[in-house]
Amino acid sequence: MMVKGIIFDIKRYAIHDGPGIRTTIFMKGCPLRCWWCHNPEGISPKPDIMYFSFKCIHCHTCVKACPENAVSFDENEIQHIDREKCTGCGICAELCPTNALRLVGKVVTVDELIREIEKDIKFHDSSDGGVTFSGGEPLFQPEFLEDILKECKKRYIHTTVDTSGYAPTRILEKILSYTDLFLYDLKLFDEKEHIKYTGVPNELIKKNLIFLVEKKANVILRFPVIPGITDTEWNVKGWARFLSELDLSSIQEIDLLPYHDVGEKFNRLGREYKMEVHHAPSDETLKWIKEEFKGLGLKVKIGG
Ligand code: SF4
Ligand code: SF4
């Protein structure tokens, strides 16, 4: 039986997700719950409904149409979607006259997805680009990822996997020979802090990075600079110490990704946004973190 996957977006002409011009495939499902997650629509492995309140004309079509009685409005005309009841059927989004509701998440076959990717081959070829699998967490759909990567390699398409590294090592092992580049996130060095801010421990993430380095996989590290959370001296120096013990010859660079507020996206999905800080990191902060990683002999870039 052909394995199917679930994706929530295809970004064409992407220039920040690996070398050249890329087609970025956003896959649904992630085991992490990072407070600052830029793509919260990728967290759930199922389709989600997003609500754009500024477009709503309060016609209540969605309330009447929902077969699960998952939609309601309170006395202040504020919409509530019961996410436990919602099955992601998308009927409400189809019938909404103003597109105030959007279904995020589409089931696709490997054949369907490779046809979408093939549409961009001439842009990949002219720019030394390719395809990037992002999310969500692409390793969360391991069989589908492996199959689609194989199809890309049959067509000589450059492949990048953008990952948190939180997956069984055997999954990385399986995709290693079909993946030209890994974008690999470093977040909190301390285990307890990692659990607090991402929902999962970091031991496996450290172990998998060591595995990739030992296998000489091409890696670009990514460090989200989150004010008051990842940008502390303790955290940066902890990662720097850890990296200094590795053979960094296969690490092409480290990208510092400055935080920006995505609270609105969380609201649209009915998810709680725990971030208390809403401003980007200062230039001085980015500068000292850059110097710290440069001290390891790494090329450091600000932005993805
Ligand atoms: S997606 Fe389907 S189940 Fe969910 S709120 Fe809309 S109509 Fe109801
Ligand atoms: S159908 Fe659309 S416009 Fe009408 S109440 Fe629902 S979300 Fe608002």
Side-chain angles (χ1 to χ4, degrees):
M1 201 182 70
M2 183 171 280
V3 184
K4 290 183 178 171
I6 177 163
I7 64 170
F8 65 91
D9 203 4
I10 297 177
K11 187 164 82 181
R12 300 186 191 276
Y13 319 117
I15 51 164
H16 296 295
D17 303 327
I21 299 174
R22 312 199 66 83
T23 308
T24 303
I25 311 296
F26 292 89
M27 297 173 63
K28 257 180 120 3
C30 181
L32 276 68
R33 296 291 178 270
C34 304
W35 286 22
W36 55 87
C37 177
H38 282 178
N39 294 324
E41 65 273 51
I43 295 174
S44 166
K46 296 190 303 183
D48 274 310
I49 286 288
M50 279 182 111
Y51 175 56
F52 297 79
S53 57
F54 68 95
K55 290 186 180 178
C56 179
I57 55 168
H58 304 279
C59 66
H60 290 206
T61 302
C62 50
V63 179
K64 290 171 220 142
C66 176
E68 309 298 330
N69 288 325
V71 192
S72 60
F73 281 84
D74 64 21
E75 60 280 10
N76 298 316
E77 280 296 301
I78 296 181
Q79 194 196 54
H80 299 275
I81 298 178
D82 186 331
R83 306 273 166 180
E84 293 289 312
K85 286 186 183 171
C86 173
T87 58
C89 71
I91 293 173
C92 56
E94 265 172 47
L95 295 179
C96 174
T98 60
N99 293 326
L101 294 168
R102 190 199 301 159
L103 182 68
V104 231
K106 188 180 172 203
V107 174
V108 288
T109 63
V110 171
D111 282 354
E112 284 165 343
L113 189 54
I114 198 73
R115 279 201 295 275
E116 286 301 319
I117 294 168
E118 278 176 327
K119 288 179 187 168
D120 296 341
I121 280 184
K122 64 172 183 287
F123 297 105
H124 304 156
D125 287 350
S126 64
S127 65
D128 288 332
V131 64
T132 298
F133 296 95
S134 185
E137 169 54 66
L139 302 181
F140 202 63
Q141 301 185 55
E143 290 170 12
F144 181 72
L145 181 66
E146 188 183 346
D147 286 0
I148 189 74
L149 284 168
K150 281 181 185 167
E151 290 305 314
C152 290
K153 290 325 293 172
K154 274 186 204 165
R155 291 160 178 79
Y156 304 101
I157 298 170
H158 180 278
T159 55
T160 295
V161 172
D162 177 9
T163 179
S164 66
Y166 189 75
T169 310
R170 69 184 146 74
I171 294 177
L172 283 173
E173 209 164 358
K174 276 188 149 189
I175 64 163
L176 203 55
S177 51
Y178 312 109
T179 306
D180 296 309
L181 173 68
F182 288 90
L183 303 180
Y184 201 97
D185 286 1
L186 304 180
K187 294 178 178 108
L188 278 312
F189 186 72
D190 178 76
E191 175 97 331
K192 278 197 191 123
E193 289 205 343
H194 202 278
I195 293 172
K196 176 177 175 187
Y197 291 112
T198 75
V200 301
N202 61 9
E203 201 188 332
L204 182 58
I205 295 168
K206 290 176 184 172
K207 183 180 146 212
N208 281 339
L209 181 57
I210 294 170
F211 169 80
L212 289 179
V213 164
E214 284 177 355
K215 293 287 178 188
K216 303 272 180 219
N218 285 322
V219 177
I220 290 182
L221 296 172
R222 298 190 134 192
F223 184 76
V225 184
I226 315 297
I229 298 180
T230 65
D231 68 349
T232 63
E233 198 175 331
W234 200 92
N235 192 46
V236 174
K237 287 193 184 292
W239 281 118
R241 226 179 18 256
F242 172 80
L243 293 172
S244 71
E245 287 165 14
L246 304 182
D247 170 7
L248 297 179
S249 58
S250 65
I251 310 255
Q252 296 186 358
E253 63 186 43
I254 178 161
D255 298 340
L256 308 185
L257 308 179
Y259 166 75
H260 64 259
D261 191 288
V262 288
E264 194 51 42
K265 264 195 183 183
F266 274 73
N267 287 342
R268 287 173 186 159
L269 289 156
R271 285 189 178 274
E272 183 193 3
Y273 193 55
K274 294 185 187 164
M275 288 295 295
E276 282 163 10
V277 173
H278 301 281
H279 60 82
S282 66
D283 288 347
E284 294 81 67
T285 300
L286 293 169
K287 205 170 151 205
W288 84 257
I289 298 176
K290 184 176 177 179
E291 290 308 313
E292 199 68 39
F293 288 127
K294 253 173 96 175
L296 300 168
L298 285 172
K299 180 179 163 200
V300 188
K301 207 166 85 189
I302 296 176

